[in-house]
Amino acid sequence: MTLSLGKDLLGLEPLSGEQIRLILDTAEPFKEISERAIKKVPTLRGATIVNLFFEASTRTRVSFEFAEKRLSADTVNVAASGSSVSKGETLVDTARNLEAMRIDMVVIRHGASGAAQFLAERIESNVINAGDGTHEHPTQGLLDMLTLRDRFGTLEGIKVCIVGDVLHSRVARSNIWGLRKMGAEVGVCGPRSLLPTAIEELGVTVFDRVEAAIEWADALNILRLQLERMTAGYIPSLREYNRVFGVSRERLERAPHELLILHPGPMNRGVEIDSDVADGPFSVILDQVTNGVAVRMAVLYLLSGGRPELAEAAKTSGAATPTKGKRSSDE
Ligand code: CP
C-alpha cells in the first residue's frame, strides 16, 4: 500500500495525519537543493505548470515558481489583469483553454472560497490551492508546520496560538486543521469580532487576552489584520488593536518562557506585531519563507506521482522521474 495525496491539494481538512507527515517528510530532502550553487534537479522535466494568481501575492507566487523551476518544470504565470479574465472570461473557460495547450498542473490563488475545488472538479490537471478566499491556504499551513517541527522536533503536544484576524484568515483554518491532525494543541486569540462564531467546535482553546495566550503557548502564529476583507468596523482603530492585541517585546518578556514567533506575511509592523519581535531572536518568519519552497517542491513532486523515497534519490543523483499519477488515490 502506497500512501498518496490523490489528484489535488485543496486543503488540509481532507488530508489525514499520515498524508501531512508524508508531505513534511518529503520536503526534508528538497531543502538542500535550494542551498546548492545550481539549484536544479530534473525531477519534473517535461511537466507544464500554470500559476493562476487572481489575487495579490509575493511569497506564495514566487515560492511556487522557484519550486517548479528547481524541479525543472516548464512554468507559465497568469494574472487576472492582462489576461482574458479582465474581459469577462470565466475561471473554467480560462483553465480549459490552458488545458487545451496540454498542461499538467494548475496552481491557483483566488479571492473566492471554494474556487480551487470548483476548478479541480472540472479539469483533468492536478490543482493546487494557493489560497482561496477565507477558506484554506494549505501550503502555508504545511510550511508553518515544517518550521515548527524543525524547532521543536515534533508537532505532537506543542501548543500553538494563532493571534489576530482569524475570521478572515485561510492561513488560520489550514493551521488549525493541520496542527490538530498532527497532535498539536491549538489556541486562537483576538477580539471576538475577529473570531468566527463557534470556533471552539474546531477543537481550539479561545483566549480573549493576548497575555494569557502568551503564557499558554510555545509558539505564536501572528496574523495580519485583513483590512481589505473587512466589510464592517471590526476594531475601533489600528492603534487600539496594537495596544490590546499587538505582540510586543514587553509582552513577550513578561512570559514565563521563550516563545517561537511565526507570521505568514505580509506583516503590518506596529499593528499586530512590533518590529523588535518580527526581527527578534525568536522570530522564524524568514525560515517559514525558506521552508515554503521545499514544501511546495514536495507537493508538486507527490501530486505528479513521485514516490517519497525517490525524493532522497532526486537530491543525491537528480534521477527521480515520477510517472504521471492523475487521480491516483491510496493504493
Ligand atoms: N503568506 C502568503 O500567502 O503571502 P503572499 O500573500 O505574499 O503570497
Side-chain angles (χ1 to χ4, degrees):
M1 267 243 307
T2 309
L3 189 64
S4 78
L5 299 185
K7 172 179 166 279
D8 311 298
L9 178 68
L10 304 178
L12 298 189
E13 182 183 2
L15 295 193
S16 65
E18 288 71 27
Q19 287 172 310
I20 291 171
R21 189 171 298 107
L22 172 71
I23 300 170
L24 300 183
D25 291 348
T26 305
E28 287 297 339
F30 282 129
K31 286 179 182 172
E32 187 269 335
I33 292 165
S34 296
E35 303 305 322
R36 297 180 186 177
I38 298 172
K39 302 171 178 54
K40 222 172 181 64
V41 289
T43 311
L44 289 189
R45 193 163 51 200
T48 306
I49 304 176
V50 176
N51 300 311
L52 279 181
F53 275 70
F54 291 168
E55 240 194 8
S57 169
T58 299
R59 279 148 291 270
T60 312
R61 186 179 59 76
V62 174
S63 179
F64 265 111
E65 201 174 341
F66 277 144
E68 292 154 4
K69 287 186 186 332
R70 287 174 195 179
L71 293 172
S72 300
D74 295 317
T75 68
V76 177
N77 297 318
V78 180
S81 64
S83 76
S84 291
V85 172
S86 64
K87 299 179 195 166
E89 186 168 60
T90 65
L91 175 61
V92 170
D93 279 339
T94 300
R96 284 190 180 142
N97 276 273
L98 293 167
E99 276 204 311
M101 294 182 238
R102 304 291 177 254
I103 60 169
D104 298 294
M105 289 193 196
V106 175
V107 177
I108 178 169
R109 167 165 291 195
H110 202 284
S113 301
Q117 176 160 356
F118 179 80
L119 194 61
E121 288 167 357
R122 286 163 179 80
I123 64 173
E124 284 293 310
S125 306
N126 306 103
V127 174
I128 302 174
N129 181 4
D132 63 328
T134 60
H135 173 230
E136 280 224 42
H137 190 349
T139 56
Q140 180 69 46
L142 289 161
L143 73 89
D144 292 344
M145 285 192 277
L146 187 62
T147 308
L148 288 161
R149 197 176 74 164
D150 284 349
R151 293 300 174 123
F152 292 106
T154 180
L155 296 172
E156 183 82 42
I158 66 164
K159 293 178 178 169
V160 182
C161 191
I162 301 165
V163 183
D165 184 358
V166 178
L167 182 67
H168 298 103
S169 177
R170 53 199 176 205
V171 175
R173 279 164 190 74
S174 289
N175 266 269
I176 292 169
W177 289 117
L179 285 165
R180 296 262 301 122
K181 284 170 198 269
M182 296 305 288
E185 290 183 53
V186 183
V188 293
C189 174
R192 285 281 167 165
S193 58
L194 290 178
L195 299 180
T197 47
I199 183 81
E200 295 89 345
E201 288 172 15
L202 296 184
V204 300
T205 306
V206 177
F207 295 94
D208 290 312
R209 293 178 55 252
V210 72
E211 292 81 2
I214 288 171
E215 196 176 325
W216 175 82
D218 299 310
L220 299 182
N221 199 347
I222 304 164
L223 302 176
R224 176 174 77 90
L225 290 185
Q226 299 198 34
L227 300 171
E228 75 278 16
R229 294 194 208 277
M230 291 190 190
T231 51
Y234 290 89
I235 51 167
S237 69
L238 297 183
R239 201 166 148 201
E240 178 74 359
Y241 180 85
N242 176 256
R243 194 180 65 73
V244 180
F245 287 101
V247 179
S248 63
R249 196 175 67 185
E250 293 70 37
R251 284 198 161 115
L252 292 179
E253 279 173 355
R254 273 184 244 127
H257 54 270
E258 292 166 356
L259 280 90
L260 211 62
I261 301 297
L262 296 92
H263 193 305
M267 285 186 277
N268 292 315
R269 289 173 182 263
V271 180
E272 72 269 5
I273 186 168
D274 286 0
S275 275
D276 49 8
V277 174
D279 305 327
F282 306 113
S283 168
V284 288
I285 294 169
L286 293 179
D287 299 301
Q288 290 172 264
V289 178
T290 304
N291 278 339
V293 178
V295 156
R296 288 166 181 132
M297 288 170 87
V299 168
L300 293 164
Y301 175 74
L302 292 168
L303 285 182
S304 72
R307 300 210 310 274
E309 64 274 19
L310 291 184
E312 188 64 39
K315 184 181 121 182
T316 50
S317 70
T321 308
T323 50
K324 297 300 297 170
K326 290 199 173 97
R327 299 196 189 280
S328 59
S329 56
D330 289 5
E331 292 152 17

